[in-house]
Amino acid sequence: MGFNKRTIEKEILFRYIEKNKPIKPLYKADAFIFLDDLSSKVHDWFYSGMSEEDVIKKIKEYEEKYTN
């Protein structure tokens, strides 16, 4: 049996969204290394039961809020 860890950062999230790939599979691992606040928040949103569509909307809102 293996131990799966995953490093996640917002650039990876945006790349997946850009290519219309589901982002939820990124959050299926035994351990996570979050390189920024957004990737950690996305984990929390999925954990609270949000759908992928709602999470993507929140990601876009978050990015607009912090880039302007």
Side-chain angles (χ1 to χ4, degrees):
M1 227 169 139
F3 183 79
N4 298 312
K5 65 180 176 185
R6 184 158 307 205
T7 302
I8 304 174
E9 59 185 330
K10 67 181 182 180
E11 288 79 14
I12 294 170
L13 294 172
F14 289 122
R15 196 172 321 128
Y16 271 65
I17 292 170
E18 216 173 78
K19 294 180 179 185
N20 292 319
K21 292 174 72 176
I23 57 173
K24 193 167 188 170
L26 289 172
Y27 289 89
K28 294 189 179 195
D30 298 315
F32 300 100
I33 301 168
F34 300 119
L35 299 179
D36 51 50
D37 188 48
L38 178 59
S39 56
S40 175
K41 286 186 181 299
V42 171
H43 176 269
D44 294 342
W45 295 332
F46 276 129
Y47 187 76
S48 71
M50 270 189 177
S51 69
E52 176 132 358
E53 295 81 26
D54 290 338
V55 170
I56 289 172
K57 286 178 191 174
K58 297 265 285 176
I59 289 170
K60 291 177 181 179
E61 289 171 6
Y62 182 92
E63 188 61 17
E64 286 176 13
K65 181 179 177 180
Y66 288 101
T67 57
N68 293 330

